């Protein structure tokens, strides 16, 4: 453990991985000025009067940019802050205004709360320090000039007993000596008479050292051998003064890149993420990552006060992998998760390797290290996963190994169509659409793309007119406000519904043949929501029926025929992440930030008819119905910000999901697209380069993995066209449109088959004519139900493969002379030699270079000598 090497890359040039354009200022307090949880980072902002914090995420968005929101939390200087070890969004702050406040933070893309969840006034004067207890829930320590206070946040009436003036303090673990030389000392809490050891850091007249400790492993300081209690491991040299520093929790580490610690360094004008990595092979190394503390508190504050000393248990271990002999069939894909990677245990005598310290964004300079700044390997990583099916399931569907069946789509191949079908030169694309929106929408005739130009403009492009767009004029829909979500009417390819950030829905009608001039007046304006709208969806069967969800925590149904609101659904306690109609149009499913999934029958009740536990994360989610409406699937995040998929059975939501598969850590939500004809599920996120494909089956293992599709650059959105545009002669089962920064590219998903001259009727069942309504909105509201008619996709000149004649294998027999004729050993040897000579060629034939025109003899000799010299050098190397 003493063999740490000082192998450090010191590059402090401005980098795209830094969080820039901030004003940290020179805050004079004893506390730290920046803290991080697994999801969020909070830090002091220099403003008149103080009391302002900045909030950003641990990892940048899909476009590599950081979003910073402001939190006005105190009337005076914020002296210290701390995140709860059991809740990534719970932040405690103390201030010179003599108060302590608890805040429930939200994503930096959204507005931070206007008030605290808890406001405490200890009455101790200016407060300097605040700290959550590491094992007890709701236990908060507050430090003032002469006193320390313990407060149970679940009781707001008074603090726990024990507020007192501390005894004369022992020398601090980090302090400045009388020569202004700063040093770090190691103490035994049972013997405070003298330090076990110390190490000098530097001479400075600045503030105290900010210790950032990893409680799971000694990544910054070695454990204390007898002679060297404190040994330096690595250092990073910055060119700007440090105003604060904090360590990111272990749950957010990029374990596949051997990242053992990440520090956020706060300077005057930027925040520098500094990653400490052990240069090893890119895989999970168990010797670097011992069990870390879980997210469940070991005890309550009252239990701790009564004398209990329970410890936080590590997260439950993953189920053991199946034996190798059970992996004879491909199983559902497990999106890479380092916590479930099995590696052999380290050798008992192995030493801790070198640590490389790299600013995030500059890591490509070190060979063998991942340049990703995310916490686990992202689907948008440059190292695209294999296209072959995985051999590990990753589904929690039952105990014991189980062989997985094969999917007939497992070899599906995605390919971008010819450039002649692309729409190019798309400018001013809006890259900041809310996470609840797909980013753009399409139907069989045209595609609508929000632009970043003023006035909430939307480009409406005809798919029948591909090519390069004009540089000068592009007719648009002038929505007047920024677009929150948009979708085409499935029964009218010219009608576009757009939800704006002003809580209004505008319905537009595109002229026949496409836009020739800018539209400024909508056909219909729907008003009723009191806050910004999340998402909108048309009914799958009834014409003119639209549903919307909003920040006002309501779901509203609209009749476009009358322009009136017809239903208001309630019951949500927090942000509504996503909603989806069942295929028969009877039920509506929602997934909410309050950790619940709900199912509504809007015609019977405005309250949910069923609800159950949903994703544990708070970063976004989507819902889509599968398997003829008997199940629905939710893509979201768990409490550790890992992307996950959960399958629910309608009628049994209270018991939780039937199956769940964990994914990677990425800021973008996986957007699901389901094809009811093939039961294929396509999954991708904004900013990803990979499209994962599953076949969903209504029995275990539920998820059958198919080959994935990877694009050359991150895409901003993905949507699919009707099945009738697919080329069934080429066994094309789906066709999508990928949105990039400047283009819209069609992608064909095909299944390789041998007998392509036959119609593959096992892959192309009769498809629903979902672009035709089966009833009106008034009939549906009155209680009627409809059903789509179906059509066959088989061309008239193709026979189905199920009726193809069966080929009888013919066994080939050798003539009797082959068996009767006996050859001697000499004959066999001659035949073998002749075959070898024939394969090598005739040695007497002239070589090709013999016919070339030569050069002068002296030049040839000189060139030959050089050739010999080069040959010798090459052999030496």
């Amino acid at each position: 453990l003493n063999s740490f090497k000082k192998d450090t890359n010191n590059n402090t040039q401005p980098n795209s991985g830094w969080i820039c354009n901030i004003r940290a200022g020179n805050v004079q307090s004893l506390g730290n000025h920046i803290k991080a949880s697994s999801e969020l980072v909070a830090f002091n902002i220099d403003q008149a009067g103080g009391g302002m914090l900045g909030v950003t995420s641990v990892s940048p968005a899909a476009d590599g940019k950081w979003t910073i929101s402001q939190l006005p939390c105190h009337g005076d200087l914020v002296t210290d802050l701390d995140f709860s070890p059991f809740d990534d969004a719970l932040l405690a702050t103390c201030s010179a205004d003599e108060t302590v406040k608890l805040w429930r933070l939200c994503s930096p893309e959204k507005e931070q709360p206007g008030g605290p969840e808890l406001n405490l006034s200890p009455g101790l004067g200016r407060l300097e320090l605040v700290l959550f207890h590491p094992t007890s829930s709701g236990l908060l320590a507050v430090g003032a000039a002469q006193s320390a206070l313990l407060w149970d946040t679940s009781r707001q009436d008074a603090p726990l007993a024990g507020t007192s003036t501390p005894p004369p303090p022992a020398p601090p673990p980090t302090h400045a000596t009388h020569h202004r030389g700063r040093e770090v000392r190691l103490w035994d809490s049972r013997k405070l008479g003298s330090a076990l050891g110390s190490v000098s850091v530097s001479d400075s007249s600045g503030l105290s050292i900010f210790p950032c400790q990893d409680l799971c492993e000694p990544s910054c300081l070695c454990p204390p051998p007898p002679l060297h209690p404190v040994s330096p491991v690595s250092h990073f040299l910055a060119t700007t003064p440090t105003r604060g520093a904090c360590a990111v929790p272990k749950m957010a580490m990029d374990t596949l890149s051997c990242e053992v610690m990440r520090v956020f360094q706060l300077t005057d004008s930027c925040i520098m993420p500094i990653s400490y990595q052990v240069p090893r092979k890119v895989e999970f190394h168990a010797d670097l990552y011992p069990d870390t503390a879980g997210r469940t508190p070991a005890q309550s504050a009252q239990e701790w006060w009564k004398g209990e000393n329970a410890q936080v248990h590590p997260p439950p271990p993953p189920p053991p992998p199946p034996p190798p002999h059970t992996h004879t069939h491909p199983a559902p894909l497990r999106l890479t998760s380092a916590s479930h990677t099995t590696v052999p245990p380290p050798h008992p005598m192995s030493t801790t390797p070198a640590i490389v310290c790299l600013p995030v964004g500059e890591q490509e300079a070190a060979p063998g290290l991942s340049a990703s700044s995310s916490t686990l390997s992202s689907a948008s990583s440059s190292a695209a996963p294999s296209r072959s099916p995985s051999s590990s399931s990753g589904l929690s569907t039952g105990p014991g190994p189980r062989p997985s069946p094969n999917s007939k789509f497992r070899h599906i191949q995605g390919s971008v169509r010819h450039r002649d079908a692309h729409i190019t030169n798309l400018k001013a694309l809006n890259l900041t659409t809310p996470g609840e929106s797909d980013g753009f929408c399409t139907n069989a005739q045209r595609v609508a793309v929000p632009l970043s130009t003023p006035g909430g403009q939307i480009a409406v492009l005809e798919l029948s007119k591909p090519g390069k767009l004009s540089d000068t004029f592009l007719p648009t829909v002038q929505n007047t406000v920024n677009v929150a979500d948009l979708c085409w009417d499935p029964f009218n390819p010219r009608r576009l519904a757009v939800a704006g950030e002003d809580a209004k829905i505008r319905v537009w009608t595109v002229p026949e043949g496409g836009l020739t001039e800018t539209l400024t007046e909508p056909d219909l304006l729907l008003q009723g929501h009191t806050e910004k709208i999340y998402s909108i969806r048309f009914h799958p069967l009834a014409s003119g029926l639209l549903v919307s969800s909003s920040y006002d925590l309501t779901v509203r149904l609209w009749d476009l025929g009358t322009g009136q609101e017809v239903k208001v659904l309630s019951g949500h306690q927090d942000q509504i992440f996503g909603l989806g109609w069942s295929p028969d149009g009877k039920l509506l499913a929602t997934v909410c930030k309050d950790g619940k999934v709900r199912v509504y029958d809007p015609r019977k009740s405005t309250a949910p008819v069923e609800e159950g536990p949903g994703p544990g994360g708070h970063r976004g989610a989507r819902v889509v119905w599968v398997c003829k409406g008997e199940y629905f699937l939710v893509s979201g995040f768990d409490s550790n910000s890992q992307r996950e998929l959960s399958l629910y059975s309608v009628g049994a939501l209270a018991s939780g999901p039937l199956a769940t598969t964990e994914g990677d850590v990425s800021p973008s939500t996986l957007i699901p697209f389901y094809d009811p004809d093939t039961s294929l599920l396509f999954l991708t996120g904004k900013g990803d380069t990979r499209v994962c494909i599953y076949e969903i089956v209504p029995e275990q293992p539920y998820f059958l993995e198919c080959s994935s599709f990877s694009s050359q650059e991150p895409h901003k959105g993905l949507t699919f066209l009707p099945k009738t545009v697919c080329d069934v002669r080429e066994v094309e089962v789906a066709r999508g449109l990928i949105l990039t920064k400047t283009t819209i590219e069609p992608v064909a998903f095909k299944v390789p088959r041998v007998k392509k001259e036959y119609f593959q009727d096992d892959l192309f069942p009769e498809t629903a004519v979902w672009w035709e309504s089966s009833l009106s909105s008034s009939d549906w509201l009155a209680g009627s139900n409809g059903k789509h008619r179906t059509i066959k996709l088989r061309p008239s000149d193709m026979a189905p493969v199920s009726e193809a004649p069966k080929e009888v294998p013919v066994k080939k027999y050798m003539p009797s002379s082959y068996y009767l004729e006996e050859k001697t050993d000499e004959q066999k040897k001659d035949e073998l030699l002749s075959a070898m000579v024939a394969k090598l060629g005739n040695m007497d034939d002239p070589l090709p270079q013999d016919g070339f025109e030569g050069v002068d003899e002296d030049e040839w000799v000189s060139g030959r000598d050089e050739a010999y010299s080069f040959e010798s050098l090459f052999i030496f190397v």
Side-chain angles (χ1 to χ4, degrees), residues 502-732:
D502 59 352
K504 299 176 183 179
I505 302 174
R506 294 167 176 83
V507 181
W508 306 83
T509 300
V510 178
E512 192 69 38
L515 285 181
T516 57
E517 59 183 5
T518 299
L519 295 183
T520 58
E521 292 295 330
D523 296 338
L524 188 62
L525 183 64
L526 305 178
Q527 303 184 65
H529 284 294
T530 59
E531 296 189 42
K532 176 183 173 181
I533 296 174
Y534 294 128
S535 53
I536 54 177
R537 296 290 185 272
F538 275 97
H539 194 275
L541 296 170
S543 61
L545 192 63
L546 184 72
V547 64
S548 62
S549 62
S550 167
Y551 273 84
D552 59 14
L553 307 186
T554 64
V555 175
R556 300 174 188 255
L557 271 67
W558 309 86
D559 187 350
L560 301 188
T562 62
Q564 300 296 320
E565 173 190 296
V566 292
K567 294 284 184 179
V568 179
L569 308 181
S570 59
H572 298 95
Q573 306 299 320
D574 209 327
Q575 177 184 353
I576 305 168
F577 284 142
L579 46 80
W581 287 104
S582 61
D584 57 9
K586 297 179 181 179
L587 303 175
L588 180 71
T590 65
V591 55
C592 184
K593 190 177 181 180
D594 61 7
K596 298 287 186 180
V597 290
R598 297 174 174 87
V599 172
Y600 290 83
D601 189 341
R603 293 177 293 184
K604 293 183 179 179
S605 173
T606 60
V609 297
E610 190 180 7
E611 68 177 32
H618 305 298
R619 304 186 66 173
R622 295 296 185 94
V623 58
V624 62
W625 293 75
V626 298
C627 299
K628 300 180 180 180
E630 298 177 359
Y631 305 87
F632 65 81
L633 183 139
V634 173
S635 66
F637 296 85
D638 63 10
S639 58
N640 299 325
S641 297
Q642 279 187 298
R643 298 198 287 195
E644 68 176 8
L645 303 176
S646 300
L647 188 67
Y648 293 84
S649 175
V650 179
L653 297 188
S655 58
L658 290 176
T660 298
T661 177
E662 295 179 353
D664 56 1
V665 176
S666 177
S668 60
T669 306
L670 285 173
I671 304 175
F673 303 93
Y674 180 72
D675 179 11
D677 295 343
T678 59
S679 296
L680 287 179
L681 178 71
F682 299 83
L683 292 160
T684 190
K686 297 179 182 178
D688 288 359
T689 59
R690 186 184 180 202
V691 179
C692 299
I693 307 174
Y694 294 89
E695 182 183 0
I696 308 300
V697 294
E699 58 185 11
Q700 291 189 9
Y702 301 106
F703 296 85
L704 301 182
E705 181 213 354
C706 305
S707 297
S708 61
F709 165 76
S710 296
S711 57
Q712 294 183 353
E713 62 180 33
H715 46 257
K716 309 306 175 185
L718 172 68
T719 186
F720 283 83
L721 298 171
K723 185 60 68 74
T724 52
V725 305
C726 295
D727 187 358
V728 297
R729 298 180 185 274
E730 294 297 327
V731 201
E732 182 183 1

Side-chain angles (χ1 to χ4, degrees), residues 676-678 723 759-768 791-793:
D677 295 343
T678 59
K723 185 60 68 74
F759 176 73
Q760 310 294 321
D761 52 347
D762 61 326
L763 302 183
F764 297 100
E766 293 187 3
T767 187
I791 58 173
K792 295 182 178 180
L793 298 175

Side-chain angles (χ1 to χ4, degrees), residues 99-387:
T99 62
V100 178
K101 297 182 180 181
L102 262 63
W103 304 88
R104 174 71 57 181
L105 303 184
C106 59
S107 172
E109 291 79 10
K110 300 177 176 61
E111 185 178 357
Q112 296 299 330
E117 287 193 350
L118 183 63
N119 192 343
L120 306 176
S121 298
L124 301 178
R126 174 185 168 117
L127 304 178
E128 291 289 351
L129 301 171
V130 63
L131 186 66
F132 276 101
H133 196 274
T135 65
S136 307
S137 62
L139 185 58
L140 199 64
V142 180
Q146 299 294 329
S147 303
L149 183 76
L150 297 179
W151 206 297
D152 183 0
T153 57
S154 63
R155 297 176 50 193
Q156 304 183 23
D157 49 354
L160 292 173
T163 302
S164 62
T165 301
T174 65
H175 71 287
T177 65
H178 62 280
H179 297 295
R180 289 197 175 274
R182 295 185 300 178
E183 65 179 11
V184 177
R185 292 186 179 183
L186 185 66
W187 299 80
D188 186 345
S189 60
R190 300 162 297 182
K191 298 166 56 179
L192 294 179
S194 60
L196 298 179
S198 64
V199 59
S200 298
V201 179
S202 63
D203 294 336
S204 173
S205 59
L207 299 179
S208 300
I209 301 171
F210 298 100
C212 302
Q213 183 184 6
D214 180 2
L215 298 178
C216 300
E217 61 173 304
S219 61
C220 278
L221 297 177
C222 294
L227 299 180
H228 303 286
V230 183
S231 300
V233 175
S234 179
H235 69 277
F236 176 76
L237 181 62
T239 58
T240 55
T242 298
R243 301 304 179 190
C246 69
V248 178
K250 182 66 65 160
M251 290 292 187
M253 295 296 101
D254 187 358
T255 56
L256 292 185
S257 296
C258 301
E259 182 183 35
V260 295
M261 193 171 188
R262 189 186 307 169
V263 175
F264 281 100
Q265 181 183 12
L266 178 66
T267 66
D268 291 335
S269 59
C270 67
I271 298 176
M272 298 167 51
I274 304 172
S275 177
Y276 291 83
Q277 297 177 343
V278 177
R280 283 191 182 181
K281 184 178 179 181
V282 180
E283 62 183 26
F284 182 74
H285 297 270
D287 58 323
L288 299 181
Y289 301 100
D291 289 341
T292 187
R295 307 303 300 275
T296 303
Q299 58 201 350
S300 66
Q302 293 294 331
E303 291 171 341
W304 178 86
W305 185 251
K306 293 178 180 178
E308 297 186 14
N309 289 312
Q311 298 300 314
V312 178
H313 295 289
H325 67 272
T326 62
H327 292 288
T328 57
H329 301 285
L333 169 69
R334 177 178 186 81
L335 303 178
T336 53
S337 173
S339 60
H340 290 254
T341 306
T342 303
V343 297
H347 193 277
M349 298 300 293
S350 63
T351 58
T352 306
I355 293 180
V356 177
C357 165
L358 296 175
V360 173
E362 298 172 0
Q363 299 175 9
E364 59 269 15
L369 297 181
S370 171
S372 171
S373 60
S374 61
T375 50
L376 288 180
S377 61
S378 171
S380 61
S381 173
S382 60
S386 172
R387 299 174 64 90

Side-chain angles (χ1 to χ4, degrees), residues 810-814 819:
V810 179
K811 186 176 181 180
K812 296 182 180 181
Y813 294 92
M814 301 299 294
Y819 300 99

